[in-house]
């Protein structure tokens, strides 16, 4: 009965971005009233539910824009880059993201996969390693992967939320001569850029940890 009814990813992935969105809409539209008043227990519970639902809704376009489009079609996914298969001029803007695994580690990953009858690369190889019995039975590894999942989900969703909150704030500030709105909007967009870099760091680290563990495991 005393347990918090949310898992860690609920906070990292949904509640934080939902709360930022609601607070941003209050600044831009004047509602809903999230800050600046005392809430009853019922109103507080309703606010938490609304924030959580907003975060859930934001997660879909966030994944679609930043993960499926920006990473999937522009940058390339970590399981491809880590094996040295995605050279790009964008590496000058994202040097850490485009750093492949050492050649010996890449060789061990491919060699072990082939010994298990998997000659595929890309998504198929990633899924083979991610759902390998050795991966799922390694509690320490799964704990680290869950941590990276929480962190990249938080950064991705919050980066998207900062973007969609920052733009209307800038518009409002420009058209209403509101310096505070301009400052908040500018700060939100700057935060969005930095959060994209944080997202890429942890998104890459998830696969980096997975591949290194697989390369060092027993065949």
């Amino acid at each position: 009965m005393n347990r918090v009814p949310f898992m860690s990813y609920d906070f990292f992935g949904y509640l934080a971005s939902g709360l930022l969105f609601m607070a941003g809409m209050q600044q831009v539209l004047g509602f809903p009233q999230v800050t600046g008043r005392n809430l009853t227990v019922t109103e507080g519970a309703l606010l938490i539910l609304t924030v959580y639902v907003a975060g859930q809704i934001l997660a879909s376009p966030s994944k679609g824009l930043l993960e499926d489009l920006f990473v999937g079609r522009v940058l390339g996914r970590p399981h491809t880059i880590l094996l040295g298969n995605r050279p790009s001029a964008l590496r000058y803007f994202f040097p850490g993201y485009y750093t492949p695994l050492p050649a010996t580690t890449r060789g061990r990953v491919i060699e072990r996969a082939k010994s298990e009858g998997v000659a595929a690369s890309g998504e198929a190889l990633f899924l083979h390693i991610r759902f390998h019995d050795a991966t799922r039975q390694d509690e320490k590894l799964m704990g680290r992967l869950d941590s990276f999942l929480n962190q990249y989900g938080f950064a991705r969703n919050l980066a998207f939320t900062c973007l969609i909150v920052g733009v209307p704030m800038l518009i409002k500030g420009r058209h209403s001569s509101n310096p505070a709105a301009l400052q908040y909007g500018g700060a939100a967009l700057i935060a969005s850029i930095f959060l994209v870099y944080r997202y890429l760091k942890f998104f890459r680290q998830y696969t980096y940890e997975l591949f290194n563990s697989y390369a060092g495991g027993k065949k």
Side-chain angles (χ1 to χ4, degrees), residues 5-209:
F6 297 107
M7 297 184 296
S8 58
Y9 192 83
D10 289 317
F11 172 77
F12 284 106
Y14 308 129
L15 290 175
S17 57
L19 181 59
L20 176 62
F21 177 76
M22 300 290 283
M25 290 302 96
Q26 178 181 337
Q27 293 296 320
V28 174
L29 302 176
F31 69 90
Q33 193 72 24
V34 178
T35 62
R37 68 189 181 99
N38 295 323
L39 300 175
T40 66
V41 174
T42 301
E43 289 173 334
L46 182 60
L47 176 61
I48 292 174
L49 177 61
T50 305
V51 165
Y52 181 70
V53 171
Q56 287 273 3
I57 293 172
L58 289 166
S60 292
S62 169
K63 181 179 183 300
L65 177 66
L66 293 177
E67 190 167 323
D68 297 338
L69 181 61
F70 182 57
V71 172
R73 299 199 176 187
V74 178
L75 297 185
R77 294 189 176 273
H79 57 250
T80 299
I81 293 169
L82 285 168
L83 295 180
N85 298 325
R86 183 69 181 248
S88 172
L90 291 173
R91 66 183 181 275
Y92 297 109
F93 299 98
F94 306 96
Y97 186 75
Y98 278 99
T99 303
L101 288 167
T104 54
T105 304
R106 299 199 304 265
R108 287 198 298 267
V109 169
I110 295 171
E111 181 184 351
R112 181 177 178 184
K114 286 182 178 179
S115 72
E116 294 169 350
V118 178
S121 60
E123 186 77 11
L125 177 60
F126 171 81
L127 292 175
H128 169 75
I129 297 173
R130 173 59 185 83
F131 294 102
H132 196 285
D133 288 341
T135 300
R136 293 186 294 176
Q137 293 168 8
D138 189 334
E139 294 183 2
K140 290 184 179 180
L141 172 61
M142 292 303 296
R144 293 194 297 271
L145 294 180
D146 285 343
S147 176
F148 293 133
L149 174 65
N150 289 336
Q151 292 179 82
Y152 84 65
F154 170 81
R156 183 195 69 199
N157 293 350
L158 209 57
F160 176 78
T161 306
C162 284
L163 175 64
I164 63 172
V165 165
V167 170
M169 277 188 177
L170 286 177
I171 294 173
K172 178 182 179 180
R174 184 174 179 82
H175 287 280
S176 63
S177 300
N178 186 336
L182 284 172
Q183 292 170 356
Y184 283 131
L189 293 183
I190 292 171
S192 179
I193 294 171
F194 281 103
L195 284 165
V196 166
Y197 276 89
R198 296 297 290 174
Y199 159 59
L200 293 176
K201 173 184 176 179
F202 293 119
F203 193 53
R204 174 187 181 274
Q205 194 65 30
Y206 183 100
T207 307
Y208 180 88
E209 190 77 18

